Each structure stands twice: as C-alpha cells, then as structure tokens.
C-alpha cells in the first residue's frame, strides 16, 4: 500500500515536470515570434521613437540593443532619436530561459528634419518660415494641391506646404480645397458623391484654368511626395475627414513629426489629436485662448495661426507672451498685390514684430524679401 505522503510527492514531481516542459515549450513557441517593434520606421532627424521587443518571453537574461549609430542599451523599452539622415540597422539579442541565444534585427530610415527639433531652433533664432497656401508658387501652370505643386514648393525653398482634404464616396482621403471638383478639375460633382477612380477620370486644372495631365492625389500620395524634403500643414478643420482618419494616414507615412494638424477654432480637435499622440503638432487659430489653452500644459512650442490684420492686437500679443509661435496669413487681401508692386511697408510691419511664419500665395517673392532682410 502506497503511503499518502508518497503519492503527494509523486504528484508534485510530475506536476513540476509538466510545468517545466510546458513553460519551455511556450517559451520556444514565443521565440519564433520575437521581433523588434518600432513606433516609426521612417523618423525625422531628432524625432523620438520607441524601440522594444515584440512578443518577448517573460524570462530572459543578457538583453542587449545595438541601435546602429554607436549607442547601445540593455533596457526593455527604449526612447531613441537619430540626428543624421541614413538607414540604421537595429539589433537585439538575449538568452531565453531554455538557454537559447536569440537574435533579432530591424531597419529604419532617418530622412530629413522634423518639427520637434525645428520648432525648438526657431524659438532660439529670428528666422521666419514661409508656408505655401495650397502649394501655390509663381508657376501658374501648376495645379494647386497637386504633387507638382509640392515638388515646386521644396524647389523654391518653402518651409511648409499647406494642403486641404476631403473624403470620397469610397472613403479615400484626397487633397482638394473645395467640396466639389468643378473648379479644380475638368469634371464636376461633389467629392463625397464620387469614388476615387471616378474623380481620376478627370484632369486637374492649373492656376490659369487650363487642363493638365495631373490627377487629384490622395493624402498619402501627397505626403510621400515631399517626405524628408518639406513640412506639411494639413487643413482638415472645416472638411469632412476625421482627426483619426487624417492621423492614421500621417502615421502610416511615418510623418507625425513632419505635419501640422490645423485644428482651427475647434478645441475638440486638439483633444482628439492628443488622444492619438501627444507628439502630434496641433495648429489652432490663435484668436481665442480657448482654442489653444490646453497647449500651455506642454513644455514645447506650438504655432498659432492669425490673420495679418491681427498684428498688434491683444490676442496675438497674449499668445506670444504665453510662449506660442505666431503664424500670419496674407491671403485674400490687397496685401500681396501691394507687396508685389513694391510697397513693402505692410510686410516690414509684419516681420519686425513677433511673426515667425507667413502663409502666402506668392512664396518666392516673400522668401526673396526675407533673405534680403536677414530672416532666412
């Protein structure tokens, strides 16, 4: 007759063996799925990304990361930035609980500058940026909000290109200022009533109204056309594209640190954006403290948008005192015509104040004058 204590010991022994092999088997299965997880595979210079192991076993030792730029770490979660363009190979290794040495690697491409670093620099110097409204330049044979317009902008030395968005019938976010395609293409109809393929049966018109060979781009196509070469202001505030829809495309392109999200006078858009990422760059209308009050809680600079007629008004003065960066529009007015005619008094009044970015349809003219004045 077997003693009860012996039965208990035998049970404990076999149970321990079962647990040991079960854990080891689970560990081996997990090892085949281990990979390096990057929050962004296409970061800008200075952009902070997170690097960690995906599906990492619970019990490991000797964890080691090599980030490919001469720096290393033994932390499970790493916050990392790269200061130079290039393709970097990130390697990780560890020893599993079964004694296996595991190696993983992944690559990322650092390309161009990002807003995080650039806005800090702008805070410390007296440079003035230029934003091209709808990507317009002096070349009137190029359609607004087009791939060609974006390319013309970075060739002209523009800092930021402003683009507009709408959503097609089949859920594609396209770049267009109007709710219809009547003015900007050879076709007609509401964007919301047309699929992307239907819209692309028509050609974009240039700024003189003449048909071109270009078609309306999607937001993703427009962003990738200038990634690493120019920054973006995405104006979706009065449009029908959601904050999440815009953000997801920007994130897919690896461009969270290269885009302003124009939230206009809707504080709810800022809240929605920060729920998706606290690293995103909200860009509200600055006429009311309510529009940007929540930005005061973050220790980094943000741009606010004003009209040139607000220069010297309390709203702009207060925003500057609160540490905000001031952007001014010189659109839909006689300002640009007066400036082109050789009367620089309004522009001088603008740039001698606290203005740090000018949105305009005559970017080349403004850039040239800012260079003469030493602001470029």
């Amino acid at each position: 007759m077997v003693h009860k204590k012996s039965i208990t010991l035998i049970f404990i022994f076999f149970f321990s063996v079962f647990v040991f092999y079960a854990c080891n088997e689970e560990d081996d299965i997990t090892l085949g799925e281990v990979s390096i997880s990057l929050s962004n595979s296409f970061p800008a210079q200075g952009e902070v990304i997170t690097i960690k192991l995906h599906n990492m076993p619970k019990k490991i030792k000797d964890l080691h990361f090599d980030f490919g730029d001469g720096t290393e770490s033994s932390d499970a979660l790493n916050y990392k930035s790269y200061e130079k363009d290039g393709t970097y190979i990130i390697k990780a290794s560890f020893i599993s609980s079964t004694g296996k040495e595991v190696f993983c690697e992944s690559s990322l491409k650092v390309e161009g500058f990002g807003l995080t670093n650039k806005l800090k620099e702008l805070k410390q110097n007296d440079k003035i940026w230029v934003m091209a409204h709808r990507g317009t330049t002096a070349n009137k044979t190029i359609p607004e909000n087009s791939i060609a317009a974006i390319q013309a902008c970075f060739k002209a030395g523009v800092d930021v290109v402003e683009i507009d968005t709408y959503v097609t019938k089949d859920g594609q976010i396209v770049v267009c200022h109007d709710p219809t395609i009547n003015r900007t293409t050879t076709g007609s109809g509401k964007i919301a009533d047309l699929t992307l393929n239907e819209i692309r049966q028509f050609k974009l018109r240039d700024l003189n109204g003449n048909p071109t060979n270009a078609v309306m781009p999607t937001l993703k196509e427009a962003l990738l056309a200038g990634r690493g070469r120019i920054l973006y202001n995405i104006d979706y505030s009065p449009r029908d594209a959601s904050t999440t829809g815009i953000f997801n495309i920007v994130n897919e392109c690896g461009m969270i640190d290269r885009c302003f999200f124009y939230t206009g006078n809707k504080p709810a858009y800022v809240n929605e954006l920060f729920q998706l990422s606290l690293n995103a760059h909200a860009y509200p209308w600055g006429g009311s403290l309510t529009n940007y009050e929540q930005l005061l809680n973050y220790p980094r600079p943000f741009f606010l948008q004003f009209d040139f007629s607000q220069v010297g008004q309390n709203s702009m003065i207060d925003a500057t005192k609160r540490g905000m960066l001031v952007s001014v529009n010189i659109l839909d007015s006689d300002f640009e015509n007066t400036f082109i005619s050789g009367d620089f008094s309004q522009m001088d009044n603008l740039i001698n104040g606290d203005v740090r970015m000018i949105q305009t349809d005559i970017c080349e003219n403004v850039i040239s004058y800012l260079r003469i004045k030493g602001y470029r």
Side-chain angles (χ1 to χ4, degrees):
M1 184 174 181
V2 181
H3 195 275
K4 288 184 178 181
K5 186 175 181 181
S6 299
I7 294 175
T8 302
L9 290 174
I10 293 171
F11 173 80
I12 292 173
F13 171 77
F14 281 106
F15 180 76
S16 299
V17 171
F18 169 78
V19 169
F20 174 79
Y21 281 106
C23 290
N24 285 344
E25 182 179 359
E26 180 182 359
D27 192 66
D28 286 341
I29 293 173
T30 305
L31 291 180
E33 301 172 351
V34 175
S35 60
I36 296 175
S37 175
L38 306 174
S39 61
N40 187 357
S41 298
F42 304 97
Q45 295 175 19
E47 180 178 356
V48 177
I49 62 172
T50 58
I51 302 174
K52 60 183 179 180
L53 286 179
H54 180 65
N55 285 334
M56 183 174 68
K58 294 181 179 180
K59 293 182 179 181
I60 65 169
K61 62 180 181 178
D62 298 336
L63 175 63
H64 178 260
F65 278 97
D66 182 337
F67 298 115
D69 65 344
T71 61
E72 301 175 349
S73 171
S74 57
D75 297 329
L77 174 62
N78 298 276
Y79 299 94
K80 174 70 179 170
S81 65
Y82 293 82
E83 302 305 320
K84 295 182 179 180
D85 282 4
T87 299
Y88 296 86
I89 306 299
I90 301 173
K91 299 178 180 179
S93 63
F94 62 87
I95 297 176
S96 73
S97 59
T98 61
K100 290 184 178 180
E101 192 168 6
V102 180
F103 298 92
C104 304
E105 69 176 43
S106 183
S107 67
L108 60 79
K109 185 176 183 180
V110 180
E111 186 178 34
F113 48 83
L115 283 164
T116 299
N117 271 6
K118 283 297 179 180
L119 293 187
K120 291 178 182 177
E121 290 178 9
L122 199 60
K123 267 286 200 180
Q124 299 169 359
N125 61 42
D126 58 355
K127 302 301 181 184
I128 298 177
W129 285 4
V130 173
M131 181 192 298
H133 183 229
R134 304 182 198 171
T136 53
T137 62
N139 189 341
K140 303 305 179 185
T141 66
I142 298 176
E144 67 179 48
N145 277 315
S146 65
I147 299 297
I150 294 167
Q151 294 169 339
C153 282
F154 58 69
K155 290 177 182 177
V158 170
D159 301 285
V160 184
V161 58
E162 187 259 357
I163 56 177
D164 308 272
T165 61
Y166 272 101
V167 182
T168 66
K169 183 179 180 180
D170 53 342
Q172 298 295 311
I173 299 180
V174 293
V175 177
C176 184
H177 178 270
D178 303 347
T180 73
I181 66 172
N182 301 5
R183 179 181 64 86
T184 58
T185 78
T186 56
S188 63
K190 291 183 179 180
I191 292 176
D193 295 336
L194 300 168
T195 66
L196 179 62
N197 286 337
E198 288 171 338
I199 291 172
R200 284 184 162 171
Q201 292 176 11
F202 306 106
K203 302 298 184 181
L204 291 176
R205 295 183 183 276
D206 65 21
L207 297 178
N208 294 315
N210 300 315
T212 68
N213 291 323
V215 294
M216 188 178 295
T218 63
L219 176 59
K220 182 177 181 179
E221 290 168 344
L223 292 176
L224 293 179
R227 186 174 69 188
R229 305 190 69 174
I230 200 166
L231 299 167
Y232 287 80
N233 169 29
I234 306 174
D235 185 355
Y236 67 101
S237 60
R239 320 298 184 216
D240 56 353
S242 68
T243 300
T244 300
I246 296 291
F247 178 88
N248 287 343
I249 292 175
V250 174
N251 191 44
E252 182 183 348
C253 295
M255 294 177 65
I256 296 300
D257 198 39
R258 310 171 206 250
C259 293
F260 291 109
F261 293 80
Y262 181 60
T263 54
N265 58 2
K266 298 181 180 179
Y269 281 13
V270 179
N271 295 329
E272 290 174 4
L273 182 62
F274 283 172
Q275 287 175 4
L276 296 168
S277 173
L278 291 177
N279 294 323
H281 297 273
Y283 179 36
W285 185 258
S288 169
L289 174 61
T290 305
N291 296 340
Y292 66 91
E293 191 168 16
Q294 58 266 62
L295 302 183
L296 302 177
N297 298 322
Y298 299 92
R300 59 187 177 97
F302 292 90
F303 258 111
L304 304 180
Q305 187 172 131
F306 294 86
D307 185 74
F308 79 93
S309 62
Q310 295 174 284
V311 172
Q313 292 186 2
N314 289 335
S315 59
M316 189 179 293
I317 295 172
D318 290 344
T320 302
K321 287 181 178 179
R322 290 186 172 97
M324 299 290 107
L325 291 166
V326 170
S327 168
V328 168
N329 299 333
I330 58 172
L331 311 169
D332 304 322
S333 68
D334 291 330
F335 190 113
E336 292 179 339
N337 291 332
T338 301
F339 176 71
I340 291 175
S341 70
D343 183 349
F344 305 130
S345 56
Q346 285 181 295
M347 180 63 75
D348 288 338
N349 181 52
L350 204 66
I351 65 180
N352 291 333
D354 295 317
V355 174
R356 309 309 305 277
M357 180 162 64
I358 299 171
Q359 182 173 198
T360 178
D361 288 310
I362 52 170
C363 55
E364 290 97 335
N365 304 73
V366 175
I367 288 172
S368 295
Y369 191 70
L370 291 176
R371 283 176 179 156
I372 292 172
K373 291 293 185 176
Y375 290 106
R376 299 287 293 178

